[in-house]
Amino acid sequence: MSESGGSNSTTKYLLLFAAGTALGSAVAFGAAYGLARYYAAQLEEKEVRKQRSVSPSRGESLKKGSSKLTPRSSQSQVPINGLPPPYMGRSSNSGNQHLSAARGTRGYTIDLPARANSLSINPMTASPRVAAMARVDSTQDDLISGGYDDHLQGASGAASRRETESNPDSALAYHRAPTISSSGTALPSAPGFPPTVPPTGPPAPGGVPGVFFHAVPAADRANKAAKEVVKGGSLQYQHSNNLPRNVSGGNLQVLAAVAAQQGVPMDKVVVVDASKKQKQELFSHADDYCRVITPEVSLNDEIEEVTSMIMEMMEMRKKWLFQPVVNPEQRRHEAEAATPREVVPDPFEYKPVPASSHVYQMVDGVMRVWSDSSRQHPVFQVPGTASEFFTEMHRILRYSALGPVKSFCHHRLLLMEQKFNLHIMLNADKEFLAQKAAPHRDFYNVRKVDTHIHHSACMHQKHLLRFIKSKLRKEPDEVVIFRDGKYLTLKEVFESLNLTGYDLNVDTLDMHADKSLFHRFDKFNLKYNPFGQSRLREIFIKQDNIIHGRFLAELTKEVFTDLEASKYQHAELRISIYGRKAMEWDILASWVVANNLYSDNNVWLIQIPRLYNVYKETGVIDNFQQMLDNIFEPLFEVTVDPATHPQLHVLLSQVVGFDMVDDESKPERRPTKHCPPPQEWNSKHNCAYSYYAYYIYANLYVLNKLRESRGMNTFSFRPHAGEAGDIDHLVAAFMLCENIAHGINLRKSPCLQYLFYLAQIGLCMSPLSNNSLFLDYHRNPFPTFFARGLTVSLSTDDPLQIHLTKEPLVEEYSVAAQVWKMSSADLCEIARNGVLHSGFPHACKKHWVSEHYWRPGPEGNDIHKTNVPNMRLKFRYDTYVNEMQLVMGGALAYQARKAPKSSSSSRTLVTATAGSATASATASATASATALLRQVQLQLQLQQFQLQVQQCQLQLYSYSSFSYRRRRADADLTAGASRRDVEQRAVRAQPWRASIASTNNTRRV
């Protein structure tokens, strides 16, 4: 019994011991587990505090678990005009859903993992600092009872709250913002914070209000006022991808309150996906691109002299070019307009204008104007006479033929071309992404202007053929022409040609250019005759005929209809004034006004054919002066008194420029300063191109000044130049014109090509037209000009002879894109250039290009309107600035080098004059020489000061480099390097100290 009882006791004690051991282990494990949880919470709290204290300005992305710091746009949560900022609404889900302002901002968004209560911080300031709104779910009872801090639950919320309480100057400091109730009133504010004015407006829809906190940096609370994003009259808000499209009641309540506060109807409030954040970041970094930087050019005597010549030629252009008194910068306050009709609602309305007292008379081929009939003081003088113009033109020709000038310009042009190629290699993907981020815009819906198209050939050949067939079928008995002493109907005309409606096709029309026209401009002009018959040209393509141009007017309206249907294509139709008789202006004006020929997609240019020799041979005129009188006298008469030609006054309000056309390949004698004036030019030979150019320009200059003083529109001079012929055509255009048509001969002169680049003269090029007449398509310099930075645009010239489709301008772009492998950014940049070259109103260009379209670089571009990436225009602007700095710097250096010689020559002049003239003449010469010397001395002082500044900069650089080398040497010596190693390293760093180091080594040996 005792042994069994002892055994039972031992077993009992063993069981009790085992149970106690297990219980102790469980308690110890629980304690250890509790301590581990406690320390884990502490570590998590510490990590969160670190993440919150990181400055967002470093642009870092922090990742801890599923928490993330992502770049976003931002604006400070500061009341605007006394109104509270927009608030985020309460969501039915407890995840990281949020609502925030979506557009035009940049900053950071901290999205925490989904928990029972989450904190979503959405910055809305314009700097990359943290300024956000923190939303925590709560109930209305707790709000009214004042239990604010209890709603910051979870480790992250508690840590942020405790950090703020312990350190008011921490990176995130929270303050209370008002909560909007369902009735639109503000709920009680937290203690210590002033109440905020509630937004006004109608009560919002139902919903449970939430608690809102603003998290802003303590040092940034007084940041600049936030800027609300209101585009197109609507507020845009962003939601995360997992937020339902049917916004919850709390969110809707907040949106309604903000909309009422801003005066925006609820049907205009748009909810935008948060996935568009990347597109906004692309816009915020639009100017960041991989820039190609080349070594600076080391100036020498030759380069300085060349750049001085280039600047002298640029000053000649500045002297002659007409500049309006009111520039676009002074008109920046004017509103935008989508169409010209918004600027002038009724283009054919005649508003009487009182006559002025100006008196005018043609003197030596140029109209001279006086303010009254006394004719004492002429006004609106031309910058120079014809002799001065031809002298300066020959000087430019002489400069451009110099070898150093050609070498310098050729080198700079090649360098700019390679810069563009490198830019495309490095930034093509960025430009493509920027274009993808621009909503709605692509190549098809950006504005494109056909800046060079002739009205007589503005339709394609199938269009003209269809129109002729229609008229022959519907109006066969219409009397259309007077020939051979009798009037003929349309049917009789075709019967005389042995043609019927069934026989007509595009081949028999025979108006398309073929390979037989290459270098045959005379044959090309014959292609304007339908079926090879000049009588049909008079019937269908002339406005001065027996039917008063009715057929041509109807055909023009159909072309306008096609342009308006495309919406984004525009044209500048060129219509002819020949100068054979003064009545041509009234005939043209009555044709336009009587047929109501107007379209928002078109403006008019006047082209003047250079056909003096033809009119002289036929006896229409006796000398060149009569041709100028027929062209310009009606224009001055209607400007002084519009009542004399009311229809012409209406027409001129729609004209934007003058052109000068004809075959440039004809041989001619280059004019000189000894050329006879126009009244003495009675030869049977035609005048030279530059002779025409000067006298048309001079009369336009005076006319523009007169019209400007009368508050009327002015005209630009935009002739054909550089399609063929001599290089002096381009020199005259460089001196006188805003932009030109063609310009392919610039490839023959590097100097003029570089001058056209520096002056940013527009080139309205037509590669398909050149391919038919003067230059094969694959040899056309258009892609080279474009890469080098010349402002080129594409145009059609003659769709009737050249193109095959209904949209000839798009056909021109399409062929260029395929043959030369142009990207969408290239095509859109060319289209933008076309708009800038055009004569459409200032308000339309603001709407089509940018609010500040006249400014260079990205400041004058809006990618949402042009689809041209800002980085492309930034590259163009940086390259242009570099070239201008090089040219101006070299020219100034050349002047500084030549100034002492000018000073010595001035002193010699003073001495010679003082010894040979009378006392009064001596005093006058001395005064003028003294003034010249004073000017030279001032220039020398300025140059010496600039040299001193440069020397100081070099000394400062040398001192900083020497300090660095000294510290490096001390460090090396401290590390145990020998003194000789240190000196050898210094010699390798500065070769110019090699002699000193070698001397020290010799002395040491």
Side-chain angles (χ1 to χ4, degrees):
M1 293 291 295
S2 62
E3 292 180 358
S4 62
S7 177
N8 292 334
S9 299
T10 301
T11 303
K12 180 178 179 181
Y13 287 131
L14 288 174
L15 292 174
L16 290 174
F17 177 78
T21 302
L23 180 61
S25 299
V27 172
F29 179 80
Y33 180 76
L35 289 174
R37 288 292 302 275
Y38 174 78
Y39 284 113
Q42 292 294 326
L43 289 175
E44 184 180 2
E45 179 181 342
K46 185 177 180 180
E47 191 68 21
V48 171
R49 187 181 298 111
K50 274 187 181 178
Q51 294 183 11
R52 296 299 176 86
S53 62
V54 170
S55 174
S57 61
R58 288 179 290 176
E60 301 176 356
S61 290
L62 302 179
K63 295 185 178 180
K64 182 69 176 177
S66 59
S67 300
K68 58 184 179 179
L69 176 61
T70 57
R72 264 202 53 79
S73 63
S74 59
Q75 287 189 356
S76 301
Q77 286 299 309
V78 181
I80 305 169
N81 299 328
L83 297 177
Y87 305 113
M88 290 177 296
R90 175 186 178 91
S91 175
S92 59
N93 300 328
S94 59
N96 59 346
Q97 301 167 358
H98 57 275
L99 282 172
S100 64
R103 184 176 172 77
T105 57
R106 178 164 182 245
Y108 292 83
T109 301
I110 303 177
D111 296 324
L112 298 176
R115 292 195 178 120
N117 292 302
S118 63
L119 178 64
S120 183
I121 301 177
N122 297 275
M124 301 171 65
T125 61
S127 62
R129 300 177 180 178
V130 175
M133 306 177 71
R135 178 185 60 80
V136 181
D137 295 341
S138 66
T139 61
Q140 189 170 0
D141 294 335
D142 290 333
L143 277 173
I144 299 176
S145 63
Y148 307 110
D149 294 340
D150 296 338
H151 300 289
L152 278 172
Q153 300 178 4
S156 59
S160 301
R161 186 180 70 252
R162 284 196 297 272
E163 178 189 353
T164 303
E165 293 173 352
S166 61
N167 184 14
D169 293 330
S170 62
L172 293 178
Y174 293 88
H175 63 274
R176 180 71 162 82
T179 303
I180 311 298
S181 68
S182 58
S183 61
T185 60
L187 296 178
S189 301
F193 291 92
T196 311
V197 180
T200 60
V208 181
V211 179
F212 304 90
F213 288 85
H214 289 253
V216 299
D220 200 33
R221 291 175 185 169
N223 203 353
K224 58 185 178 180
K227 189 177 181 181
E228 290 292 348
V229 180
V230 180
K231 182 179 180 182
S234 64
L235 293 174
Q236 297 190 7
Y237 286 88
Q238 173 177 330
H239 65 82
S240 58
N241 291 330
N242 58 351
L243 184 66
R245 288 289 176 174
N246 47 350
V247 186
S248 62
N251 293 333
L252 191 60
Q253 174 260 336
V254 173
L255 289 178
V258 176
Q261 173 183 332
Q262 297 295 330
V264 179
M266 276 300 293
D267 58 352
K268 296 290 184 180
V269 177
V270 182
V271 180
V272 186
D273 288 339
S275 60
K276 294 186 178 180
K277 174 171 60 178
Q278 297 177 352
K279 297 181 181 180
Q280 297 167 4
E281 292 172 5
L282 285 175
F283 291 139
S284 63
H285 297 283
D287 295 340
D288 298 338
Y289 73 102
C290 297
R291 184 177 176 185
V292 179
I293 301 177
T294 56
E296 295 184 0
V297 178
S298 58
L299 298 178
N300 53 37
D301 292 350
E302 180 180 292
I303 292 179
E304 290 176 0
E305 187 173 3
V306 168
T307 53
S308 176
M309 294 178 183
I310 291 175
M311 285 304 300
E312 183 180 352
M313 291 184 281
M314 293 290 291
E315 289 298 322
M316 292 180 193
R317 169 178 167 80
K318 184 178 179 181
K319 166 188 172 182
W320 292 97
L321 187 65
F322 170 76
Q323 296 288 350
V325 174
V326 181
N327 55 40
E329 186 68 34
Q330 296 170 329
R331 301 174 58 190
R332 63 183 181 275
H333 62 279
E334 297 181 9
E336 298 181 3
T339 61
R341 198 180 290 271
E342 295 181 13
V343 181
V344 182
D346 187 0
F348 293 106
E349 179 184 3
Y350 171 70
K351 296 180 180 179
V353 179
S356 68
S357 60
H358 290 93
V359 179
Y360 55 90
Q361 182 182 354
M362 189 75 75
V363 179
D364 292 334
V366 179
M367 194 70 73
R368 188 169 296 180
V369 179
W370 294 269
S371 57
D372 52 32
S373 58
S374 62
R375 303 191 179 190
Q376 295 181 355
H377 303 288
V379 294
F380 315 133
Q381 294 288 334
V382 182
T385 63
S387 298
E388 295 172 353
F389 171 76
F390 295 135
T391 300
E392 294 187 1
M393 184 187 74
H394 280 273
R395 185 182 305 168
I396 294 178
L397 287 168
R398 186 171 65 254
Y399 285 169
S400 63
L402 295 176
V405 175
K406 292 193 289 187
S407 297
F408 174 82
C409 295
H410 179 67
H411 173 75
R412 300 309 302 176
L413 291 169
L414 287 180
L415 184 61
M416 289 189 294
E417 184 178 356
Q418 296 305 322
K419 276 186 178 181
F420 178 77
N421 294 333
L422 287 174
H423 170 80
I424 295 300
M425 292 176 63
L426 297 173
N427 300 287
D429 293 340
K430 295 181 180 179
E431 292 181 347
F432 179 65
L433 291 176
Q435 285 187 309
K436 288 178 65 177
H440 178 64
R441 290 296 171 203
D442 54 33
F443 167 73
Y444 291 97
N445 56 20
V446 298
R447 303 286 176 170
K448 296 174 283 292
V449 180
D450 195 345
T451 51
H452 173 204
I453 177 173
H454 299 281
H455 173 250
S456 298
C458 63
M459 70 295 294
H460 56 91
Q461 48 189 337
K462 186 65 176 178
H463 185 184
L464 178 61
L465 179 64
R466 188 166 54 243
F467 182 83
I468 293 175
K469 284 185 174 183
S470 173
K471 291 302 175 183
L472 186 58
R473 182 176 64 255
K474 297 178 181 179
E475 303 180 28
D477 299 327
E478 179 74 19
V479 177
V480 294
I481 196 172
F482 180 79
R483 279 292 176 94
D484 301 329
K486 61 179 180 180
Y487 292 95
L488 299 176
T489 64
L490 185 60
K491 182 179 179 180
E492 292 173 344
V493 170
F494 276 89
E495 288 177 351
S496 65
L497 300 174
N498 296 323
L499 290 174
T500 63
Y502 183 77
D503 297 330
L504 303 183
N505 55 41
V506 170
D507 295 329
T508 57
L509 186 66
D510 193 23
M511 301 188 73
H512 194 71
D514 52 29
K515 60 183 180 181
S516 65
L517 303 183
F518 198 71
H519 283 285
R520 291 296 304 272
F521 202 89
D522 54 340
K523 283 189 175 183
F524 182 80
N525 285 334
L526 294 177
K527 287 292 182 178
Y528 280 92
N529 298 327
F531 308 103
Q533 300 295 323
S534 60
R535 64 182 70 183
L536 294 180
R537 178 180 182 179
E538 181 181 347
I539 295 171
F540 290 100
I541 314 181
K542 293 286 186 180
Q543 77 270 8
D544 184 12
N545 52 26
I546 196 173
I547 58 175
H548 305 292
R550 181 169 63 86
F551 286 173
L552 181 60
E554 294 177 6
L555 195 57
T556 304
K557 288 182 179 181
E558 293 181 4
V559 173
F560 286 168
T561 302
D562 293 339
L563 287 174
E564 291 165 0
S566 65
K567 182 182 178 181
Y568 294 100
Q569 295 184 39
H570 305 262
E572 293 181 312
L573 295 181
R574 286 164 159 81
I575 196 163
S576 297
I577 288 292
Y578 297 93
R580 293 172 297 188
K581 50 187 178 181
M583 290 181 57
E584 291 177 1
W585 282 108
D586 292 322
I587 294 172
L588 176 62
S590 62
W591 176 73
V592 172
V593 175
N595 293 283
N596 198 22
L597 295 179
Y598 175 83
S599 172
D600 284 334
N601 294 58
N602 174 71
V603 291
W604 297 103
L605 268 83
I606 302 299
Q607 64 180 18
I608 301 174
R610 295 183 289 111
L611 299 176
Y612 158 78
N613 57 329
V614 177
Y615 309 148
K616 173 67 176 178
E617 289 180 1
T618 57
V620 177
I621 58 178
D622 296 328
N623 52 50
F624 187 63
Q625 178 67 64
Q626 294 180 4
M627 182 176 177
L628 293 176
D629 291 339
N630 294 334
I631 294 173
F632 288 103
E633 277 191 354
L635 299 181
F636 279 89
E637 185 176 356
V638 73
T639 301
V640 172
D641 186 7
T644 57
H645 306 273
Q647 291 180 329
L648 180 57
H649 176 70
V650 171
L651 171 64
L652 292 180
S653 64
Q654 304 174 28
V655 174
V656 298
F658 278 69
D659 189 5
M660 190 174 65
V661 300
D662 197 27
D663 183 10
E664 293 186 62
S665 63
K666 294 178 180 178
E668 61 185 24
R669 293 188 62 183
R670 185 175 296 170
T672 64
K673 62 180 179 180
H674 303 294
C675 284
Q679 65 270 19
E680 298 179 9
W681 191 287
N682 52 14
S683 170
K684 64 178 181 179
H685 301 292
N686 200 8
C687 307
Y689 179 95
S690 52
Y691 195 88
Y692 271 99
Y694 172 77
Y695 284 104
I696 292 177
Y697 151 81
N699 286 283
L700 274 180
Y701 186 94
V702 180
L703 179 65
N704 283 335
K705 289 293 184 181
L706 177 61
R707 293 181 65 85
E708 206 171 40
S709 67
R710 300 272 288 152
M712 302 176 183
N713 63 305
T714 58
F715 314 115
S716 60
F717 187 34
R718 299 163 52 184
H720 283 53
E723 185 180 15
D726 201 355
I727 205 71
D728 66 308
H729 299 187
L730 290 168
V731 175
F734 168 75
M735 298 174 66
L736 306 176
C737 307
E738 294 183 15
N739 56 64
I740 64 173
H742 297 297
I744 56 177
N745 270 0
L746 284 175
R747 74 190 192 279
K748 299 180 179 179
S749 175
C751 177
L752 285 177
Q753 190 179 148
Y754 193 61
L755 288 174
F756 269 68
Y757 167 75
L758 294 179
Q760 291 292 286
I761 301 175
L763 303 177
C764 308
M765 304 185 70
S766 307
L768 288 176
S769 174
N770 301 144
N771 181 68
S772 299
L773 279 171
F774 294 107
L775 190 65
D776 290 338
Y777 201 92
H778 68 279
R779 296 179 55 201
N780 197 287
F782 179 87
T784 304
F785 290 172
F786 176 72
R788 292 176 178 178
L790 281 77
T791 55
V792 295
S793 61
L794 284 173
S795 55
T796 58
D797 196 357
D798 299 285
L800 182 59
Q801 283 83 16
I802 307 298
H803 299 83
L804 300 173
T805 63
K806 185 179 180 181
E807 295 184 338
L809 185 58
V810 174
E811 182 181 346
E812 196 82 40
Y813 277 91
S814 175
V815 175
Q818 296 297 325
V819 174
W820 293 320
K821 296 179 174 60
M822 289 186 166
S823 65
S824 176
D826 298 337
L827 297 179
C828 292
E829 183 185 1
I830 295 169
R832 178 181 180 272
N833 290 341
V835 176
L836 296 180
H837 294 167
S838 71
F840 279 88
H842 166 77
C844 293
K845 291 183 180 180
K846 291 183 66 174
H847 184 78
W848 296 347
V849 178
S850 171
E851 187 178 357
H852 304 100
Y853 69 89
W854 59 91
R855 296 178 181 175
E859 192 177 2
N861 180 62
D862 186 353
I863 190 173
H864 297 93
K865 297 179 180 180
T866 63
N867 202 38
V868 181
N870 284 337
M871 65 183 69
R872 171 66 64 88
L873 295 181
K874 179 65 173 174
F875 163 77
R876 297 291 193 192
Y877 178 70
D878 291 341
T879 305
Y880 180 79
V881 168
N882 290 340
E883 295 301 317
M884 288 301 299
Q885 287 177 348
L886 171 62
V887 173
M888 295 180 69
L892 290 175
Y894 179 79
Q895 293 178 2
R897 184 158 52 86
K898 292 297 182 182
K901 297 182 180 179
S902 301
S903 178
S904 61
S905 63
S906 299
R907 293 191 184 96
T908 305
L909 176 63
V910 172
T911 305
T913 305
S916 60
T918 60
S920 59
T922 301
S924 175
T926 303
S928 60
T930 304
L932 178 60
L933 285 175
R934 179 59 179 166
Q935 182 179 2
V936 172
Q937 289 173 359
L938 290 175
Q939 292 180 354
L940 289 175
Q941 291 176 3
L942 177 61
Q943 292 159 3
Q944 290 174 359
F945 175 76
Q946 293 175 349
L947 290 175
Q948 291 175 2
V949 171
Q950 294 176 359
Q951 291 175 358
C952 292
Q953 292 175 350
L954 290 174
Q955 291 175 1
L956 180 61
Y957 173 76
S958 301
Y959 176 78
S960 60
S961 301
F962 174 78
S963 301
Y964 170 76
R965 292 193 302 272
R966 183 62 179 271
R967 291 194 301 271
R968 177 69 182 273
D970 293 341
D972 291 341
L973 290 174
T974 304
S978 65
R979 184 175 297 276
R980 179 170 299 179
D981 294 338
V982 174
E983 290 178 354
Q984 289 178 356
R985 182 180 301 162
V987 170
R988 287 194 299 270
Q990 281 190 323
W992 60 272
R993 297 179 63 93
S995 59
I996 300 176
S998 61
T999 303
N1000 292 339
N1001 291 336
T1002 304
R1003 189 178 301 162
R1004 187 176 296 107
V1005 172

